C-alpha cells in the first residue's frame, strides 16, 4: 500500500483564513470538499482545545490578551459544525481536539511521528518544527532554527509577549549566526558562564543597550518565556476521531498501514 502524504491542519487558523476570504458560509463547503478529496493524503485536523490558553495564562496572564476576535460573528459555532461534519468524511480524514491544549502543542507532538508532514497554517511559530513543511509561511522566515530564541528575546505582538525588555527586533537582526547559536544553547541550559560570553558578543554586535538588557534579565524571566513559547512536552496519549465515526489511537491505525 502506498504511503500517504500527511497533511496536518492548524484548523482554527486555516478555517479562519478561508472564512474571512469568503465572507459567507461557503468556507464550510470548501473545507468539507477538501476533507473528502479522493487523493493519497492523510488529513489530520487539529482544533484548539477548550481552555487551551489557560495553561500559559496561569503564569503569564497577558498571554494573547490583545488577540482580535474573528471578523465573522458566527465563526466559532460554524467551526464546531465543521468538526461534526468530519465524522462523515473518508476514513483517512481524522480530527483531534484535546481540552486544555492549544493546537500548536498537539501539532508539534504529531510531527514527531511522521517523517516529513505538511502543516497548513500561517502561524509562523510552527516553523520551529524542523521536519515539517509549511507552504503557507515558509517564505516569511529566514532562521527557522532560531524562531523560538528570537521570540524569547524580541517578543511577539500577536501573542502579546513582551520578550526581554530593551532588546528589540533591530538588535536581533544584527546578531551573527554564531551568536544566535550560542543564545539557543544558553536558553536550553541557562549557564551563567555562557550568558556572560553572549553578553560580550551582543555588546560587540549590537551595542551596550542590548547587552545590558540581556545582562539584567534573570533566569526566572527566561524560564517563564520558555514555558510560554516552547511547545509543551506533557501532551497526553492522543486519540483521533476518524472519518465514518470510528475512534482509535494513532498507533492502532498505523498497524493498518494507513500512515
Amino acid at each position: 500500500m502506498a504511503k500517504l502524504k500527511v497533511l496536518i491542519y492548524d484548523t482554527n487558523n486555516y478555517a479562519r483564513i478561508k472564512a474571512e476570504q469568503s465572507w459567507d458560509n461557503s468556507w464550510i463547503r470548501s473545507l468539507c470538499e477538501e476533507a473528502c478529496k479522493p487523493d493519497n493524503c492523510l488529513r489530520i485536523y487539529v482544533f484548539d482545545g477548550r481552555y487551551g490558553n489557560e495553561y500559559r495564562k496561569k503564569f503569564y496572564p497577558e498571554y494573547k490578551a490583545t488577540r482580535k476576535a474573528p471578523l465573522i460573528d458566527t465563526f466559532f459555532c460554524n467551526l464546531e459544525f465543521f468538526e461534526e461534519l468530519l465524522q462523515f468524511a473518508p476514513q483517512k480524514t481524522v480530527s483531534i481536539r484535546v481540552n486544555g491544549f492549544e493546537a500548536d502543542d498537539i501539532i508539534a507532538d504529531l510531527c514527531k511521528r511522521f517523517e516529513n508532514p505538511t502543516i497548513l497554517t500561517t502561524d509562523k511559530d510552527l516553523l520551529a518544527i524542523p521536519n515539517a513543511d509549511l507552504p503557507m509561511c515558509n517564505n516569511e522566515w529566514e532562521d527557522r532554527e532560531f524562531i523560538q530564541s528570537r521570540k524569547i528575546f524580541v517578543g511577539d505582538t500577536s501573542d502579546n509577549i513582551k520578550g526581554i525588555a530593551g532588546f528589540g527586533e533591530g538588535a536581533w537582526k544584527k546578531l551573527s549566526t554564531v551568536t544566535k547559536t550560542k543564545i539557543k544553547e544558553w536558553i536550553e541550559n541557562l549557564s551563567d558562564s555562557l550568558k556572560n560570553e553572549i553578553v560580550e558578543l551582543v555588546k560587540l554586535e549590537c551595542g551596550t543597550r542590548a547587552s545590558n538588557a540581556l545582562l539584567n534579565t534573570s533566569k526566572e524571566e527566561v524560564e517563564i518565556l520558555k514555558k510560554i513559547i516552547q511547545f509543551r512536552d506533557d501532551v497526553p496519549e492522543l486519540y483521533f476521531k476518524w472519518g465514518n465515526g470510528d475512534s482509535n489511537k494513532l498507533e492502532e491505525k498505523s498497524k493498518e498501514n494507513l500512515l
Side-chain angles (χ1 to χ4, degrees):
M1 188 177 188
K3 196 173 183 179
L4 298 182
K5 180 178 180 180
V6 178
L7 304 179
I8 302 176
Y9 291 78
D10 181 7
T11 315
N12 288 58
N13 173 284
Y14 189 78
R16 181 168 173 171
I17 292 167
K18 293 288 187 182
E20 294 181 354
Q21 284 175 344
S22 65
W23 291 100
D24 58 31
N25 286 336
S26 63
W27 62 274
I28 303 173
R29 183 185 304 110
S30 174
L31 289 180
C32 288
E33 290 173 352
E34 186 172 349
C36 296
K37 279 185 178 179
D39 53 19
N40 197 42
C41 294
L42 168 65
R43 289 182 166 81
I44 304 176
Y45 290 85
V46 184
F47 294 80
D48 284 327
R50 293 177 177 84
Y51 312 111
N53 292 346
E54 294 305 310
Y55 167 81
R56 290 176 169 91
K57 283 186 174 180
K58 283 180 180 178
F59 50 85
Y60 193 81
E62 301 89 354
Y63 181 63
K64 292 189 176 180
T66 57
R67 184 64 63 90
K68 295 180 180 179
L71 297 176
I72 299 174
D73 293 340
T74 58
F75 173 73
F76 285 112
C77 62
N78 281 325
L79 187 67
E80 290 186 7
F81 179 48
F82 170 63
E83 186 177 6
E84 292 176 11
L85 291 174
L86 284 174
Q87 68 181 300
F88 303 107
Q91 200 171 37
K92 61 183 181 180
T93 297
V94 302
S95 65
I96 182 168
R97 178 199 294 271
V98 181
N99 290 337
F101 284 81
E102 296 181 81
D104 288 16
D105 297 309
I106 302 301
I107 291 171
D109 183 79
L110 282 173
C111 287
K112 298 174 185 175
R113 307 162 189 255
F114 301 109
E115 184 177 342
N116 184 225
T118 296
I119 305 175
L120 282 305
T121 186
T122 60
D123 184 352
K124 293 189 285 294
D125 290 350
L126 291 168
L127 285 167
I129 301 173
N131 65 318
D133 181 29
L134 285 85
M136 297 174 70
C137 58
N138 267 350
N139 295 329
E140 299 181 31
W141 188 257
E142 296 176 0
D143 298 324
R144 284 185 65 169
E145 63 181 306
F146 303 124
I147 190 167
Q148 291 185 335
S149 302
R150 173 198 167 276
K151 197 169 178 178
I152 287 170
F153 269 55
V154 178
D156 184 349
T157 55
S158 67
D159 288 343
N160 199 36
I161 296 171
K162 302 297 189 295
I164 293 177
F167 196 105
E169 183 74 44
W172 180 265
K173 289 180 178 179
K174 294 177 182 177
L175 295 176
S176 65
T177 301
V178 171
T179 301
K180 290 177 181 177
T181 302
K182 288 182 180 293
I183 286 172
K184 183 178 179 181
E185 180 186 347
W186 173 67
I187 287 171
E188 290 305 314
N189 56 49
L190 295 178
S191 158
D192 290 335
S193 60
L194 185 53
K195 177 182 178 180
N196 292 333
E197 181 183 348
I198 293 168
V199 167
E200 292 304 313
L201 289 171
V202 170
K203 186 175 182 179
L204 288 172
E205 295 176 1
C206 306
T208 304
R209 183 173 185 271
S211 64
N212 285 341
L214 176 56
L215 184 63
N216 296 326
T217 300
S218 68
K219 288 183 181 180
E220 291 74 20
E221 291 174 279
V222 178
E223 286 287 6
I224 290 175
L225 290 169
K226 281 173 63 175
K227 285 183 70 175
I228 302 165
I229 291 164
Q230 293 182 341
F231 301 120
R232 293 173 63 178
D233 57 8
D234 59 339
V235 176
E237 186 174 22
L238 296 181
Y239 286 80
F240 286 69
K241 291 184 179 179
W242 291 76
N244 303 321
D246 189 18
S247 295
N248 275 296
K249 287 185 295 185
L250 182 64
E251 289 74 17
E252 292 172 359
K253 283 294 180 181
S254 299
K255 294 175 185 177
E256 300 173 16
N257 297 317
L258 284 172
L259 309 185

